């Protein structure tokens, strides 16, 4: 049975597209047939992070308007078996998306035996974001450890609980997960960032993962490579841990929550 997961947040710049790319790649690496959809019509960044921007011919709006087939529109990832990308349009606006059109796309993907559909939502609460979360079975709410980001994520939780198809049909609620990105334990210790406990207390949803602040994330994005493919980076390892928890290993311990201890020379010379 196909599972639809939306990656969402209220605030821009928190790492939704990076997260969508890594979650989709991680699931495909585990053997699940996975497609990741870019709902950010008019901007389109997912294809850059996935390294397939030069292969885009048709896009989500073409598919919604029945101007292309699913086979024509999907881009197969060159690195990972079972991974596909459905890019957004750069030349249309979000009004091109309709519930009926997206429903047709979702139906076609489910008929194509996808195990997971990952929806990369634009920031905020406008039409594109609501389209991305409407069909969700699960939601990964992505937030930075700062007050404004957490507050906006709380707003998104309210929309998930009232505007999703599951809520409107009185079905079982969307399953919610919390992913904290750009976490810096040193800055938390200095009082410059919220702690994990603070964020979990404020949002009151299960913690899926903590992604440490890392220059590797930007390096991988510039290379067109999801950071989860960098096994040596802490961010890549943290996303891999999050995949394990998403697939049921809920007792897997969280890493990268503590600032590294300084050695004697570091303490001596600051």
């Amino acid at each position: 049975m196909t599972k639809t997961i939306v990656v969402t947040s209220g605030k821009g710049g928190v790492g939704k597209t990076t997260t969508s790319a890594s979650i989709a790649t991680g699931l495909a690496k585990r053997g699940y047939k996975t497609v990741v959809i870019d709902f950010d019509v008019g901007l389109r960044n997912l294809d850059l992070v996935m390294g397939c921007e030069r292969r885009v011919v048709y896009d989500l709006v073409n598919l919604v308007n029945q101007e292309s087939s699913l086979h024509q529109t999907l881009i197969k990832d060159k690195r990972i078996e079972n991974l596909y990308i459905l890019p957004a349009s750069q030349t249309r606006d979000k009004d091109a998306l309709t519930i009926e059109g997206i429903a047709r796309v979702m139906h076609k993907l489910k008929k194509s035996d996808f195990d997971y559909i990952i929806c990369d939502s634009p920031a905020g609460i406008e039409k594109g974001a609501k389209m991305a979360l409407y069909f969700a079975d699960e939601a990964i709410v992505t937030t930075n450890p700062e007050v404004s980001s957490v507050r906006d994520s709380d707003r998104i939780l309210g929309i998930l609980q009232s505007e999703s198809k599951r809520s409107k049909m009185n079905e079982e609620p969307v399953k919610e997960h919390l992913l904290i990105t750009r976490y810096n334990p040193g800055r938390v210790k200095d009082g410059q960032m919220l702690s994990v406990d603070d964020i979990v207390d404020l949002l009151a949803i299960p913690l899926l993962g903590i992604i440490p602040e890392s220059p590797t994330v930007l390096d991988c994005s510039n290379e067109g490579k999801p950071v989860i493919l960098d096994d040596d980076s802490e961010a890549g390892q943290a996303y891999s841990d999050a995949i394990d928890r998403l697939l049921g290993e809920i007792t897997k311990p969280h890493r990268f929550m503590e600032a590294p201890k300084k050695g004697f020379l570091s303490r001596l010379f600051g």
Side-chain angles (χ1 to χ4, degrees):
M1 182 178 175
T2 306
K3 189 172 288 185
T4 303
I5 302 175
V6 63
V7 179
T8 184
S9 77
K11 192 172 183 290
V14 301
K16 283 185 304 300
T17 298
T18 295
T19 295
S20 297
S22 285
I23 293 294
T25 301
L27 289 168
K29 280 186 70 179
R30 302 294 201 282
Y32 296 97
K33 188 177 180 183
T34 305
V35 59
V36 56
I37 307 174
D38 190 349
F39 275 86
D40 205 353
V41 174
L43 292 177
R44 200 177 89 187
N45 286 312
L46 179 66
D47 55 307
L48 292 170
V49 175
M50 298 295 294
C52 63
E53 69 276 9
R54 290 185 295 274
R55 298 167 60 199
V56 176
V57 178
Y58 296 103
D59 55 51
L60 177 60
V61 174
N62 294 132
L63 191 56
V64 164
N65 291 339
Q66 302 182 76
E67 298 162 351
S68 63
S69 68
L70 186 65
H71 180 74
Q72 287 176 300
T73 313
L74 287 179
I75 300 172
K76 190 176 187 305
D77 190 83
K78 289 182 176 180
R79 294 162 296 212
I80 306 295
E81 193 69 26
N82 295 323
L83 179 58
Y84 296 80
I85 300 96
L86 181 47
S89 171
Q90 279 186 311
T91 58
R92 312 285 184 100
D93 61 35
K94 293 174 177 64
D95 290 334
L97 301 181
T98 63
I99 288 290
E100 296 77 18
I102 297 297
R104 281 196 304 270
V105 171
M106 293 295 184
H107 180 68
K108 289 176 181 178
L109 292 171
K110 290 176 181 179
K111 281 185 66 177
S112 298
D113 297 323
F114 278 97
D115 297 303
Y116 285 96
I117 300 170
I118 309 300
C119 301
D120 180 23
S121 171
I125 55 173
E126 41 67 53
K127 186 174 182 179
K130 289 184 177 180
M131 287 284 177
L133 65 81
Y134 183 78
F135 293 95
D137 301 310
E138 301 189 23
I140 298 175
V141 179
T142 310
T143 188
N144 290 160
E146 54 187 57
V147 173
S148 61
S149 182
V150 174
R151 179 194 62 196
D152 290 349
S153 292
D154 202 24
R155 179 94 184 272
I156 287 294
L157 288 172
I159 293 172
L160 277 167
Q161 293 159 9
S162 61
E163 297 291 328
S164 67
K165 182 181 178 183
R166 284 177 170 268
S167 65
K168 293 188 175 184
M169 298 293 184
N170 293 317
E171 298 174 354
E172 187 177 338
V174 174
K175 187 176 181 180
E176 298 158 345
H177 309 276
L178 172 62
L179 189 82
I180 302 171
T181 56
R182 295 179 181 165
Y183 193 76
N184 186 321
R187 295 183 66 189
V188 172
K189 188 176 180 180
D190 292 340
Q192 298 172 355
M193 283 183 170
L194 295 174
S195 70
V196 171
D197 289 341
D198 290 336
I199 299 167
V200 171
D201 286 345
L202 286 166
L203 295 180
I205 59 175
L207 180 62
L208 180 68
I210 303 160
I211 313 301
E213 194 170 44
S214 170
T216 310
V217 174
L218 180 58
D219 293 341
C220 286
S221 293
N222 289 337
E223 293 174 21
K225 180 178 80 171
V227 71
I228 197 171
L229 294 177
D230 189 336
D231 297 329
D232 295 327
S233 75
E234 290 186 348
Q237 294 168 32
Y239 273 118
S240 185
D241 288 352
I243 293 292
D244 291 338
R245 295 186 198 97
L246 191 64
L247 294 175
E249 292 186 42
I250 57 175
T251 59
K252 191 179 188 74
H254 291 277
R255 299 188 279 170
F256 316 116
M257 293 177 62
E258 304 293 334
K261 293 182 180 179
K262 292 183 178 180
F264 173 74
L265 292 177
S266 296
R267 294 196 304 273
L268 185 62
F269 295 107

